[in-house]
Amino acid sequence: MRTSIALCLFIPIVLCADEGEGKKNFEASLLRIADLNVPAGSSGLGPAFLPVGTDPLGEGSIQAREDGRVEVQLDGAMASQAYSVLFCRFGFPPANCLAIGPAGGLTTNTKGDGRATVDFPSMPLPNAWAGAFVLTRTIGGQVTYEYVTGFRLRADTTSGPNAADIDIEGVIASLNTANRSFRIGSLPEIVTDNNTQFDGRVRQFSDLTSGLRVKVKAGQLADGRLWAREVEAEGGPARGRGKGKD
């Protein structure tokens, strides 16, 4: 068991210093394994990591600290579910992945959001590791591989012939929460990401609803879809401004 000593000075504001935190030495986004670009004839992280799950994910991240603590965050995953955290070393099959913390160590709420701090297995420090964090979920008694640490490359919407803003105003006809997109009338799919600015009545994608009237500034992606730079909902009290993070 690790103890954390917090020193707080109570004056007109509260100043706290947490002496128990280890230095952060690794941080990465979590991606859906089902979304990964993979070589032809392969799947997910490779055949040995099947089956690949289909849980949604708005955003996720992993932070590993030098004292062995691992902080996990999920936003927009499957609601009210338990996920296990594994560390899969390069060159080793799934059977040799290390369980980080207890099975089902991260549980999401009814919105699919969850936070957890788990620990590497107890062993002498220091240690050096190379590999990927993987989050799994048990469905019907079978483990599915849902999320993995990685990065995402996006089309350049700030330069080139598609850089100009497309101004759209209308009522949201439908929403796709799995890839954080929506449709207005017969227009192409409008996708949002962590760089999308939300304004007016909405501060994040999860605030959008079918039937809501919005103004959108968008750029066109190479695949014909639209990418929303700004989404502003009309009417009602203003909720301030937020960036595309649920």
Side-chain angles (χ1 to χ4, degrees), residues 107-202:
T107 301
T108 56
N109 59 20
T110 55
K111 295 179 62 177
D113 301 342
R115 309 286 185 276
T117 300
V118 291
D119 295 331
F120 262 86
S122 178
M123 58 186 65
L125 295 175
N127 287 288
W129 300 91
F133 286 95
V134 175
L135 268 64
T136 65
R137 185 164 76 87
T138 301
I139 304 174
Q142 184 177 47
V143 173
T144 61
Y145 296 85
E146 300 289 348
Y147 313 123
V148 63
T149 48
F151 61 92
R152 188 183 300 274
L153 301 177
R154 299 187 182 278
D156 182 4
T157 58
T158 62
S159 61
N162 299 323
D165 276 339
I166 301 171
D167 293 322
I168 304 166
E169 182 175 354
V171 174
I172 295 177
S174 62
L175 293 149
N176 185 331
T177 57
N179 61 1
R180 297 167 68 184
S181 67
F182 59 94
R183 289 186 179 274
I184 296 176
S186 60
L187 292 172
E189 183 181 23
I190 302 171
V191 299
T192 68
D193 62 15
N194 293 338
N195 294 312
T196 301
Q197 296 285 346
F198 291 86
D199 207 354
R201 292 175 57 192
V202 294

Coordinates of all heavy atoms in Angstrom, one line a residue, residues 107-202:
T107 N -13.9 1.1 -13.6 CA -15.3 1.0 -13.9 C -15.9 2.3 -14.4 O -15.6 3.3 -13.8 CB -16.1 0.5 -12.7 OG1 -15.6 -0.7 -12.2 CG2 -17.6 0.4 -12.9
T108 N -16.6 2.2 -15.5 CA -17.2 3.5 -16.1 C -18.5 3.8 -15.4 O -19.2 2.9 -14.9 CB -17.4 3.3 -17.6 OG1 -18.2 2.2 -17.9 CG2 -16.0 3.2 -18.3
N109 N -18.9 5.0 -15.5 CA -20.2 5.4 -15.0 C -21.3 5.3 -16.1 O -21.0 4.8 -17.2 CB -20.2 6.9 -14.4 CG -19.7 7.9 -15.5 OD1 -19.8 7.7 -16.7 ND2 -19.2 9.0 -15.0
T110 N -22.4 5.9 -15.9 CA -23.5 5.7 -16.9 C -23.3 6.5 -18.1 O -24.0 6.3 -19.1 CB -24.9 6.2 -16.2 OG1 -24.7 7.6 -15.7 CG2 -25.3 5.3 -15.1
K111 N -22.3 7.4 -18.2 CA -21.9 8.1 -19.4 C -20.7 7.5 -20.1 O -20.3 7.9 -21.1 CB -21.6 9.6 -19.1 CG -22.7 10.4 -18.5 CD -22.2 11.8 -18.2 CE -21.7 12.5 -19.4 NZ -21.3 13.9 -19.1
G112 N -20.2 6.4 -19.5 CA -19.1 5.7 -20.1 C -17.7 6.4 -19.7 O -16.7 6.1 -20.4
D113 N -17.7 7.2 -18.7 CA -16.5 7.8 -18.2 C -16.0 7.1 -17.0 O -16.7 6.6 -16.1 CB -16.8 9.3 -17.8 CG -17.3 10.1 -19.0 OD1 -17.2 9.7 -20.1 OD2 -17.9 11.2 -18.7
G114 N -14.6 7.0 -16.9 CA -14.0 6.3 -15.7 C -12.6 6.8 -15.5 O -11.9 7.2 -16.4
R115 N -12.2 6.8 -14.2 CA -10.8 7.1 -13.8 C -10.4 6.1 -12.9 O -11.1 5.6 -12.0 CB -10.8 8.5 -13.1 CG -11.4 9.6 -13.9 CD -10.6 10.1 -15.1 NE -11.2 11.3 -15.7 CZ -12.2 11.2 -16.6 NH1 -12.7 10.1 -16.9 NH2 -12.7 12.3 -17.1
A116 N -9.1 5.7 -12.9 CA -8.5 4.7 -12.0 C -7.0 4.9 -11.9 O -6.4 5.3 -12.8 CB -8.9 3.3 -12.4
T117 N -6.5 4.7 -10.7 CA -5.1 4.6 -10.5 C -4.7 3.2 -10.0 O -5.2 2.7 -9.0 CB -4.6 5.6 -9.4 OG1 -4.9 6.9 -9.8 CG2 -3.1 5.5 -9.2
V118 N -3.9 2.5 -10.8 CA -3.5 1.1 -10.6 C -2.0 1.0 -10.5 O -1.3 1.9 -10.8 CB -4.1 0.2 -11.6 CG1 -5.6 0.1 -11.6 CG2 -3.7 0.6 -13.0
D119 N -1.5 -0.1 -10.0 CA -0.1 -0.3 -9.7 C 0.5 -1.4 -10.5 O -0.1 -2.4 -10.7 CB 0.2 -0.5 -8.2 CG -0.2 0.7 -7.4 OD1 -0.2 1.8 -7.8 OD2 -0.6 0.4 -6.2
F120 N 1.8 -1.2 -11.0 CA 2.5 -2.3 -11.5 C 2.7 -3.4 -10.4 O 2.7 -3.0 -9.2 CB 3.9 -1.8 -12.0 CG 4.0 -1.6 -13.5 CD1 3.6 -0.4 -14.0 CD2 4.4 -2.6 -14.3 CE1 3.6 -0.1 -15.3 CE2 4.5 -2.3 -15.7 CZ 4.1 -1.1 -16.2
P121 N 2.8 -4.7 -10.8 CA 3.1 -5.7 -9.7 C 4.3 -5.3 -8.9 O 5.3 -4.7 -9.4 CB 3.4 -6.9 -10.6 CG 2.7 -6.7 -11.9 CD 2.8 -5.2 -12.1
S122 N 4.2 -5.6 -7.6 CA 5.3 -5.3 -6.7 C 6.6 -6.0 -7.1 O 6.7 -7.2 -7.3 CB 5.0 -5.7 -5.3 OG 6.0 -5.4 -4.4
M123 N 7.6 -5.2 -7.3 CA 9.0 -5.8 -7.7 C 10.0 -4.7 -7.4 O 9.7 -3.5 -7.2 CB 9.0 -6.2 -9.2 CG 8.7 -5.0 -10.1 SD 8.6 -5.6 -11.8 CE 7.1 -6.6 -11.8
P124 N 11.3 -5.1 -7.2 CA 12.3 -4.1 -6.9 C 12.4 -3.0 -7.9 O 12.3 -3.3 -9.1 CB 13.6 -5.0 -6.9 CG 13.1 -6.4 -6.7 CD 11.8 -6.5 -7.4
L125 N 12.5 -1.8 -7.5 CA 12.8 -0.7 -8.4 C 14.3 -0.3 -8.4 O 15.0 -0.6 -7.4 CB 12.0 0.5 -7.9 CG 10.4 0.4 -7.9 CD1 9.8 1.6 -7.3 CD2 9.9 0.2 -9.3
P126 N 14.8 0.3 -9.4 CA 14.1 0.7 -10.6 C 13.9 -0.4 -11.7 O 14.5 -1.4 -11.6 CB 15.0 1.8 -11.2 CG 16.4 1.3 -10.8 CD 16.2 0.7 -9.5
N127 N 13.0 -0.1 -12.6 CA 12.7 -1.1 -13.7 C 12.6 -0.3 -15.0 O 12.2 0.9 -15.0 CB 11.4 -1.8 -13.5 CG 11.5 -2.9 -12.4 OD1 12.2 -3.9 -12.6 ND2 10.9 -2.6 -11.3
A128 N 12.8 -0.9 -16.1 CA 12.6 -0.3 -17.4 C 11.7 -1.1 -18.3 O 11.9 -2.4 -18.3 CB 14.0 -0.1 -18.2
W129 N 10.8 -0.5 -19.0 CA 9.8 -1.3 -19.7 C 9.6 -0.7 -21.1 O 9.8 0.5 -21.3 CB 8.4 -1.2 -19.0 CG 8.4 -1.7 -17.6 CD1 8.7 -1.1 -16.4 CD2 8.2 -3.1 -17.2 NE1 8.6 -1.9 -15.4 CE2 8.3 -3.2 -15.8 CE3 7.9 -4.3 -17.9 CZ2 8.2 -4.3 -15.1 CZ3 7.7 -5.4 -17.2 CH2 7.9 -5.5 -15.8
A130 N 9.2 -1.6 -22.0 CA 8.9 -1.2 -23.4 C 7.8 -2.1 -23.9 O 7.8 -3.3 -23.8 CB 10.1 -1.3 -24.3
G131 N 6.7 -1.4 -24.3 CA 5.6 -2.2 -24.8 C 4.4 -1.3 -24.9 O 4.5 -0.1 -25.1
A132 N 3.2 -1.8 -24.8 CA 1.9 -1.1 -25.0 C 0.9 -1.5 -23.9 O 0.9 -2.6 -23.4 CB 1.3 -1.4 -26.3
F133 N 0.2 -0.4 -23.4 CA -0.9 -0.7 -22.4 C -2.1 -1.1 -23.3 O -2.4 -0.5 -24.3 CB -1.2 0.5 -21.6 CG -0.2 0.8 -20.5 CD1 0.9 1.7 -20.8 CD2 -0.3 0.2 -19.3 CE1 1.8 2.0 -19.8 CE2 0.7 0.5 -18.3 CZ 1.7 1.4 -18.6
V134 N -2.8 -2.1 -22.8 CA -4.0 -2.6 -23.4 C -5.2 -2.7 -22.4 O -4.9 -3.1 -21.3 CB -3.8 -4.0 -24.1 CG1 -5.1 -4.5 -24.6 CG2 -2.7 -3.9 -25.1
L135 N -6.4 -2.2 -22.7 CA -7.5 -2.3 -21.9 C -8.5 -3.4 -22.5 O -8.7 -3.4 -23.7 CB -8.3 -1.0 -21.7 CG -7.8 -0.2 -20.5 CD1 -6.4 0.3 -20.7 CD2 -8.7 1.0 -20.4
T136 N -8.9 -4.3 -21.6 CA -9.8 -5.4 -22.0 C -11.1 -5.4 -21.3 O -11.2 -4.7 -20.2 CB -9.1 -6.8 -21.8 OG1 -8.9 -7.0 -20.4 CG2 -7.7 -6.8 -22.5
R137 N -12.1 -6.0 -21.8 CA -13.3 -6.2 -21.1 C -13.8 -7.6 -21.3 O -13.6 -8.2 -22.4 CB -14.4 -5.2 -21.6 CG -15.7 -5.2 -20.9 CD -16.5 -3.9 -21.2 NE -17.1 -4.0 -22.5 CZ -18.3 -4.5 -22.8 NH1 -19.0 -5.1 -21.8 NH2 -18.8 -4.4 -24.0
T138 N -14.4 -8.2 -20.3 CA -15.0 -9.6 -20.4 C -16.4 -9.5 -20.8 O -17.2 -8.9 -20.1 CB -14.8 -10.3 -19.1 OG1 -13.4 -10.3 -18.7 CG2 -15.3 -11.7 -19.2
I139 N -16.7 -10.2 -22.0 CA -18.1 -10.2 -22.5 C -18.5 -11.6 -22.6 O -17.9 -12.4 -23.4 CB -18.2 -9.4 -23.8 CG1 -17.7 -8.0 -23.7 CG2 -19.6 -9.5 -24.4 CD1 -17.6 -7.3 -25.0
G140 N -19.5 -12.0 -21.9 CA -20.0 -13.4 -22.0 C -18.9 -14.4 -21.6 O -18.9 -15.5 -22.2
G141 N -18.1 -14.1 -20.7 CA -17.0 -15.0 -20.3 C -15.8 -15.0 -21.2 O -14.8 -15.7 -20.9
Q142 N -15.8 -14.1 -22.2 CA -14.6 -14.1 -23.1 C -14.0 -12.7 -23.0 O -14.7 -11.7 -23.0 CB -15.1 -14.3 -24.6 CG -13.9 -14.4 -25.5 CD -14.4 -14.7 -26.9 OE1 -15.3 -14.2 -27.4 NE2 -13.7 -15.7 -27.6
V143 N -12.7 -12.7 -23.0 CA -11.9 -11.4 -22.9 C -11.8 -10.8 -24.3 O -11.4 -11.5 -25.3 CB -10.5 -11.6 -22.3 CG1 -9.7 -10.3 -22.4 CG2 -10.6 -12.1 -20.9
T144 N -12.2 -9.5 -24.4 CA -12.1 -8.8 -25.7 C -11.0 -7.7 -25.5 O -11.0 -7.0 -24.5 CB -13.4 -8.2 -26.2 OG1 -13.9 -7.3 -25.3 CG2 -14.4 -9.3 -26.4
Y145 N -10.2 -7.4 -26.5 CA -9.2 -6.4 -26.5 C -9.8 -5.1 -27.1 O -10.1 -5.1 -28.3 CB -8.0 -6.9 -27.3 CG -7.3 -8.1 -26.7 CD1 -7.8 -9.4 -27.0 CD2 -6.3 -7.9 -25.7 CE1 -7.2 -10.5 -26.4 CE2 -5.7 -9.0 -25.2 CZ -6.1 -10.3 -25.5 OH -5.6 -11.4 -24.9
E146 N -9.9 -4.1 -26.2 CA -10.7 -2.9 -26.6 C -9.8 -1.7 -27.0 O -10.0 -1.1 -28.1 CB -11.6 -2.5 -25.5 CG -12.7 -3.6 -25.1 CD -13.8 -3.8 -26.1 OE1 -13.9 -2.9 -27.0 OE2 -14.5 -4.8 -26.0
Y147 N -8.9 -1.3 -26.1 CA -8.1 -0.1 -26.3 C -6.6 -0.4 -26.2 O -6.2 -1.2 -25.4 CB -8.6 1.0 -25.3 CG -10.1 1.1 -25.2 CD1 -10.7 1.0 -24.0 CD2 -10.9 1.4 -26.3 CE1 -12.1 1.1 -23.9 CE2 -12.2 1.6 -26.2 CZ -12.8 1.4 -25.0 OH -14.2 1.5 -24.9
V148 N -5.8 0.5 -26.9 CA -4.4 0.3 -26.8 C -3.8 1.7 -26.9 O -4.3 2.6 -27.5 CB -3.9 -0.6 -28.0 CG1 -4.1 0.1 -29.3 CG2 -2.4 -0.9 -27.8
T149 N -2.6 1.9 -26.2 CA -1.9 3.2 -26.3 C -1.4 3.4 -27.7 O -0.8 2.4 -28.3 CB -0.8 3.2 -25.3 OG1 0.0 2.0 -25.4 CG2 -1.3 3.4 -23.9
G150 N -1.5 4.6 -28.2 CA -1.0 4.9 -29.6 C -1.3 6.3 -29.9 O -1.5 7.2 -29.0
F151 N -1.3 6.6 -31.2 CA -1.5 8.0 -31.6 C -2.3 8.0 -32.9 O -2.4 7.0 -33.6 CB -0.1 8.7 -31.8 CG 0.8 8.1 -32.9 CD1 0.7 8.5 -34.2 CD2 1.6 7.1 -32.5 CE1 1.5 7.9 -35.2 CE2 2.5 6.5 -33.5 CZ 2.4 6.9 -34.8
R152 N -2.8 9.1 -33.3 CA -3.7 9.2 -34.4 C -3.2 10.3 -35.3 O -2.8 11.4 -34.9 CB -5.1 9.6 -34.0 CG -6.2 9.5 -35.1 CD -7.5 10.0 -34.5 NE -8.0 9.1 -33.5 CZ -8.7 7.9 -33.7 NH1 -8.9 7.5 -34.9 NH2 -9.0 7.2 -32.6
L153 N -3.2 10.1 -36.6 CA -2.8 11.1 -37.6 C -4.1 11.5 -38.3 O -4.9 10.7 -38.7 CB -1.8 10.5 -38.7 CG -0.5 10.0 -38.1 CD1 0.3 9.4 -39.2 CD2 0.2 11.1 -37.4
R154 N -4.2 12.8 -38.6 CA -5.4 13.4 -39.2 C -5.1 14.1 -40.5 O -4.0 14.6 -40.6 CB -6.2 14.3 -38.2 CG -6.6 13.6 -36.9 CD -7.5 14.5 -36.1 NE -7.9 13.9 -34.8 CZ -8.9 13.1 -34.7 NH1 -9.6 12.8 -35.8 NH2 -9.2 12.5 -33.6
A155 N -6.1 14.2 -41.3 CA -5.9 15.0 -42.6 C -5.6 16.5 -42.2 O -6.2 17.0 -41.2 CB -7.1 14.9 -43.4
D156 N -4.8 17.1 -43.0 CA -4.5 18.5 -42.8 C -5.6 19.4 -43.3 O -5.9 19.5 -44.5 CB -3.2 18.9 -43.5 CG -2.8 20.3 -43.3 OD1 -3.5 21.0 -42.5 OD2 -1.8 20.8 -43.9
T157 N -6.4 20.0 -42.3 CA -7.5 20.9 -42.7 C -7.1 22.3 -42.6 O -8.0 23.2 -42.6 CB -8.7 20.6 -41.9 OG1 -8.4 20.7 -40.5 CG2 -9.2 19.1 -42.1
T158 N -5.9 22.7 -42.4 CA -5.5 24.1 -42.2 C -4.8 24.7 -43.4 O -4.5 25.8 -43.4 CB -4.5 24.2 -41.0 OG1 -3.3 23.4 -41.2 CG2 -5.2 23.6 -39.7
S159 N -4.5 23.8 -44.4 CA -3.8 24.4 -45.6 C -4.3 23.6 -46.8 O -5.0 22.5 -46.7 CB -2.3 24.2 -45.5 OG -2.0 22.9 -45.3
G160 N -4.0 24.1 -48.0 CA -4.4 23.4 -49.2 C -5.8 23.8 -49.7 O -6.5 24.7 -49.1
P161 N -6.3 23.2 -50.7 CA -7.6 23.6 -51.3 C -8.8 23.4 -50.5 O -9.8 24.0 -50.7 CB -7.7 22.7 -52.6 CG -6.9 21.5 -52.2 CD -5.7 22.0 -51.4
N162 N -8.7 22.6 -49.4 CA -9.9 22.3 -48.6 C -9.9 23.1 -47.3 O -10.6 22.8 -46.4 CB -10.0 20.8 -48.3 CG -10.2 20.0 -49.5 OD1 -10.8 20.4 -50.4 ND2 -9.5 18.8 -49.5
A163 N -9.0 24.1 -47.2 CA -8.7 24.8 -46.0 C -9.9 25.8 -45.6 O -10.1 26.2 -44.5 CB -7.4 25.5 -46.0
A164 N -10.6 26.3 -46.7 CA -11.6 27.4 -46.4 C -12.7 26.9 -45.5 O -13.1 25.7 -45.6 CB -12.1 27.9 -47.8
D165 N -13.2 27.8 -44.7 CA -14.3 27.4 -43.8 C -15.6 27.2 -44.7 O -15.9 28.0 -45.6 CB -14.6 28.5 -42.8 CG -13.7 28.3 -41.6 OD1 -13.2 27.2 -41.3 OD2 -13.5 29.3 -40.9
I166 N -16.4 26.2 -44.3 CA -17.7 26.0 -44.8 C -18.7 26.3 -43.7 O -18.6 25.7 -42.7 CB -17.9 24.6 -45.3 CG1 -16.9 24.2 -46.4 CG2 -19.3 24.4 -45.8 CD1 -16.9 22.8 -46.8
D167 N -19.5 27.4 -43.9 CA -20.5 27.8 -42.9 C -21.8 27.0 -43.0 O -22.4 27.0 -44.1 CB -20.7 29.3 -42.9 CG -19.5 30.1 -42.5 OD1 -18.8 29.6 -41.6 OD2 -19.3 31.1 -43.2
I168 N -22.2 26.3 -42.0 CA -23.4 25.5 -42.0 C -24.3 25.9 -40.8 O -23.8 26.2 -39.7 CB -23.1 24.0 -41.9 CG1 -22.1 23.6 -42.9 CG2 -24.3 23.2 -41.9 CD1 -21.5 22.2 -42.7
E169 N -25.6 26.0 -41.1 CA -26.6 26.3 -40.1 C -27.8 25.4 -40.3 O -28.3 25.3 -41.4 CB -27.0 27.8 -40.1 CG -28.0 28.1 -38.9 CD -28.3 29.6 -38.9 OE1 -27.6 30.4 -39.6 OE2 -29.1 30.0 -38.1
G170 N -28.2 24.7 -39.2 CA -29.3 23.9 -39.4 C -29.6 23.0 -38.1 O -28.9 23.2 -37.1
V171 N -30.5 22.1 -38.2 CA -30.9 21.2 -37.1 C -30.2 19.9 -37.2 O -30.2 19.3 -38.3 CB -32.4 21.1 -37.1 CG1 -32.8 20.1 -36.0 CG2 -33.1 22.4 -36.8
I172 N -29.7 19.4 -36.1 CA -29.0 18.1 -36.1 C -30.1 17.0 -36.3 O -31.0 16.9 -35.6 CB -28.3 17.9 -34.8 CG1 -27.1 18.8 -34.6 CG2 -27.8 16.4 -34.7 CD1 -26.4 18.7 -33.3
A173 N -29.9 16.2 -37.4 CA -30.8 15.2 -37.7 C -30.5 13.9 -37.0 O -31.4 13.1 -36.6 CB -30.8 14.9 -39.3
S174 N -29.2 13.6 -36.9 CA -28.8 12.3 -36.2 C -27.4 12.5 -35.6 O -26.6 13.3 -36.1 CB -28.8 11.1 -37.2 OG -27.9 11.3 -38.3
L175 N -27.0 11.6 -34.7 CA -25.7 11.6 -34.0 C -25.1 10.2 -34.1 O -25.8 9.2 -34.0 CB -25.9 12.0 -32.5 CG -26.3 13.5 -32.3 CD1 -27.1 13.6 -31.0 CD2 -25.0 14.4 -32.2
N176 N -23.8 10.2 -34.2 CA -23.1 8.9 -34.1 C -22.1 9.1 -33.0 O -21.0 9.7 -33.2 CB -22.3 8.6 -35.4 CG -21.7 7.3 -35.4 OD1 -21.3 6.7 -34.4 ND2 -21.5 6.7 -36.6
T177 N -22.4 8.6 -31.8 CA -21.5 8.7 -30.6 C -20.2 8.0 -30.7 O -19.3 8.3 -30.1 CB -22.3 8.4 -29.3 OG1 -22.7 7.0 -29.4 CG2 -23.5 9.3 -29.1
A178 N -20.2 6.9 -31.5 CA -19.0 6.0 -31.6 C -17.9 6.8 -32.2 O -16.7 6.7 -31.8 CB -19.3 4.8 -32.4
N179 N -18.1 7.6 -33.2 CA -17.0 8.4 -33.8 C -17.2 9.9 -33.7 O -16.6 10.7 -34.4 CB -16.8 8.1 -35.3 CG -18.1 8.4 -36.1 OD1 -19.1 8.8 -35.6 ND2 -18.0 8.1 -37.4
R180 N -18.1 10.3 -32.8 CA -18.4 11.7 -32.4 C -18.7 12.6 -33.6 O -18.0 13.6 -33.9 CB -17.1 12.3 -31.7 CG -16.9 11.6 -30.3 CD -15.5 11.9 -29.8 NE -15.4 13.3 -29.3 CZ -14.3 13.8 -28.9 NH1 -13.2 13.1 -28.8 NH2 -14.3 15.1 -28.5
S181 N -19.7 12.2 -34.4 CA -20.1 12.9 -35.6 C -21.6 13.1 -35.6 O -22.3 12.5 -34.8 CB -19.7 12.1 -36.8 OG -20.4 10.9 -36.9
F182 N -22.0 14.0 -36.5 CA -23.5 14.2 -36.6 C -23.8 14.6 -38.0 O -22.9 14.9 -38.8 CB -23.9 15.3 -35.6 CG -23.3 16.6 -35.7 CD1 -23.8 17.6 -36.5 CD2 -22.1 16.9 -35.1 CE1 -23.2 18.9 -36.7 CE2 -21.4 18.1 -35.2 CZ -22.0 19.1 -36.0
R183 N -25.1 14.7 -38.3 CA -25.5 15.0 -39.7 C -26.5 16.1 -39.6 O -27.3 16.2 -38.7 CB -26.1 13.8 -40.4 CG -25.1 12.8 -40.8 CD -25.7 11.7 -41.7 NE -24.7 10.7 -42.1 CZ -24.0 10.8 -43.2 NH1 -24.1 11.9 -44.0 NH2 -23.1 9.9 -43.5
I184 N -26.5 17.0 -40.6 CA -27.5 18.1 -40.8 C -28.0 17.9 -42.1 O -27.3 18.0 -43.2 CB -26.8 19.5 -40.6 CG1 -26.3 19.7 -39.2 CG2 -27.8 20.6 -40.9 CD1 -25.6 21.0 -38.9
G185 N -29.3 17.6 -42.2 CA -30.0 17.4 -43.5 C -29.3 16.4 -44.3 O -28.9 15.3 -43.8
S186 N -29.1 16.7 -45.6 CA -28.4 15.7 -46.5 C -26.9 16.0 -46.7 O -26.3 15.4 -47.6 CB -29.1 15.7 -47.9 OG -29.1 17.0 -48.5
L187 N -26.4 16.8 -45.9 CA -24.9 17.1 -46.0 C -24.1 15.9 -45.6 O -24.6 15.0 -44.9 CB -24.6 18.3 -45.0 CG -25.2 19.7 -45.4 CD1 -25.0 20.7 -44.3 CD2 -24.6 20.2 -46.7
P188 N -22.8 15.9 -46.0 CA -21.9 14.9 -45.6 C -21.8 14.8 -44.0 O -22.1 15.8 -43.3 CB -20.6 15.2 -46.2 CG -20.9 16.1 -47.3 CD -22.2 16.9 -46.9
E189 N -21.3 13.7 -43.5 CA -21.1 13.5 -42.1 C -20.2 14.6 -41.6 O -19.2 14.9 -42.2 CB -20.6 12.1 -41.8 CG -20.4 11.8 -40.4 CD -19.8 10.4 -40.2 OE1 -19.1 9.9 -41.2 OE2 -19.9 9.8 -39.1
I190 N -20.5 15.2 -40.4 CA -19.7 16.2 -39.8 C -19.0 15.6 -38.6 O -19.7 15.2 -37.6 CB -20.5 17.4 -39.4 CG1 -21.2 18.0 -40.6 CG2 -19.6 18.5 -38.7 CD1 -22.3 19.1 -40.3
V191 N -17.7 15.5 -38.6 CA -17.0 14.8 -37.5 C -16.4 15.9 -36.5 O -16.1 17.0 -37.0 CB -15.9 13.9 -38.0 CG1 -16.5 12.8 -38.8 CG2 -14.8 14.6 -38.8
T192 N -16.3 15.6 -35.3 CA -15.6 16.4 -34.3 C -14.4 15.7 -33.7 O -14.3 14.4 -33.7 CB -16.6 16.9 -33.2 OG1 -16.9 15.7 -32.4 CG2 -17.8 17.4 -33.7
D193 N -13.5 16.4 -33.1 CA -12.4 15.8 -32.4 C -11.9 16.7 -31.3 O -12.7 17.7 -30.9 CB -11.2 15.5 -33.3 CG -10.6 16.7 -34.0 OD1 -10.9 17.8 -33.5 OD2 -9.9 16.6 -35.0
N194 N -10.8 16.5 -30.7 CA -10.3 17.2 -29.5 C -10.0 18.7 -29.8 O -9.8 19.5 -28.9 CB -9.1 16.5 -28.9 CG -9.5 15.2 -28.2 OD1 -10.6 15.0 -27.9 ND2 -8.5 14.3 -28.1
N195 N -9.9 19.0 -31.1 CA -9.6 20.4 -31.5 C -10.8 21.2 -31.9 O -10.8 22.4 -32.1 CB -8.6 20.4 -32.7 CG -7.3 19.8 -32.3 OD1 -6.7 20.2 -31.3 ND2 -6.8 18.9 -33.2
T196 N -12.0 20.5 -31.9 CA -13.3 21.2 -32.2 C -13.6 22.1 -31.0 O -13.6 21.7 -29.9 CB -14.4 20.2 -32.4 OG1 -14.0 19.4 -33.5 CG2 -15.7 20.9 -32.7
Q197 N -14.0 23.4 -31.3 CA -14.4 24.4 -30.3 C -15.9 24.3 -30.2 O -16.6 24.4 -31.2 CB -13.9 25.8 -30.7 CG -12.4 25.9 -30.6 CD -11.8 26.0 -29.2 OE1 -12.6 26.1 -28.3 NE2 -10.5 25.9 -29.1
F198 N -16.5 24.2 -29.0 CA -17.9 24.2 -28.8 C -18.3 25.5 -28.1 O -17.5 26.0 -27.2 CB -18.3 23.0 -27.9 CG -18.2 21.7 -28.7 CD1 -17.0 21.0 -28.7 CD2 -19.3 21.2 -29.4 CE1 -16.9 19.8 -29.3 CE2 -19.2 20.0 -30.0 CZ -18.0 19.3 -30.0
D199 N -19.4 26.1 -28.4 CA -19.8 27.4 -27.9 C -21.3 27.5 -27.7 O -22.0 26.6 -28.2 CB -19.3 28.5 -28.8 CG -19.1 29.8 -28.0 OD1 -19.4 29.9 -26.8 OD2 -18.6 30.8 -28.6
G200 N -21.8 28.5 -27.0 CA -23.2 28.7 -26.8 C -23.7 27.7 -25.7 O -23.1 27.6 -24.6
R201 N -24.7 26.9 -26.1 CA -25.3 26.0 -25.1 C -24.5 24.7 -24.9 O -24.9 23.9 -24.0 CB -26.7 25.7 -25.5 CG -27.7 26.8 -25.5 CD -29.1 26.4 -26.1 NE -29.6 25.2 -25.4 CZ -30.6 24.5 -25.9 NH1 -31.2 24.8 -27.1 NH2 -31.1 23.5 -25.2
V202 N -23.5 24.5 -25.7 CA -22.8 23.2 -25.6 C -21.3 23.5 -25.4 O -20.7 24.5 -25.8 CB -22.9 22.4 -26.9 CG1 -24.4 22.0 -27.1 CG2 -22.5 23.2 -28.1

